[in-house]
């Protein structure tokens, strides 16, 4: 009887670690990005593109990426921002 409870507790803990905890971390990171994103911030997108924010709309962000000789402007969704490198 006690072994069954122990197995259920282990399964619930594994479920918490794998899904719920990651979801809470992602939600916390999204809230941080929404509060601290500003023009001039250097960001990394989920696809690995590094750029500097030039314009912020409601759900989109315009970033500049590339070299000084060849600047490319990309319009990305705010949800695709992975992290802020420099504020």
């Amino acid at each position: 009887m006690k072994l069954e409870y122990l197995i259920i507790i282990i399964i619930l803990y594994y479920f918490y670690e794998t899904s719920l905890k990651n979801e809470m971390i992602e939600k916390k990171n999204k809230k941080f990005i929404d509060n601290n994103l500003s023009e001039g911030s250097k960001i990394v997108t989920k696809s690995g593109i590094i750029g500097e924010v030039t314009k912020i709309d409601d759900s989109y962000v315009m970033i500049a990426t590339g070299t000084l000789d060849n600047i490319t402007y990309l319009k990305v969704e705010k949800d695709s921002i992975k992290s802020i490198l420099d504020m």
Side-chain angles (χ1 to χ4, degrees), residues 8-26:
I8 290 174
I9 290 172
I10 291 172
I11 290 172
L12 288 175
Y13 179 75
Y14 177 76
F15 176 72
Y16 169 77
E17 284 292 322
T18 56
S19 62
L20 295 178
K21 191 173 179 183
N22 289 338
E23 185 177 323
M24 289 187 317
I25 290 171
E26 287 177 9

Side-chain angles (χ1 to χ4, degrees), residues 3-62:
L3 180 64
E4 293 151 349
Y5 290 128
L6 182 64
I7 291 172
I8 290 174
I9 290 172
I10 291 172
I11 290 172
L12 288 175
Y13 179 75
Y14 177 76
F15 176 72
Y16 169 77
E17 284 292 322
T18 56
S19 62
L20 295 178
K21 191 173 179 183
N22 289 338
E23 185 177 323
M24 289 187 317
I25 290 171
E26 287 177 9
K27 197 178 286 187
K28 185 177 177 182
N29 187 27
K30 183 178 175 349
K31 185 176 181 181
F32 175 80
I33 288 172
D34 287 340
N35 291 337
N36 294 313
L37 188 66
S38 62
E39 292 183 7
S41 297
K42 294 186 186 209
I43 62 165
V44 177
T45 63
K46 290 181 181 176
S47 60
I49 299 171
I50 300 172
E52 184 175 338
V53 176
T54 58
K55 183 180 176 186
I56 300 175
D57 292 332
D58 290 336
S59 60
Y60 291 98
V61 174
M62 183 75 71

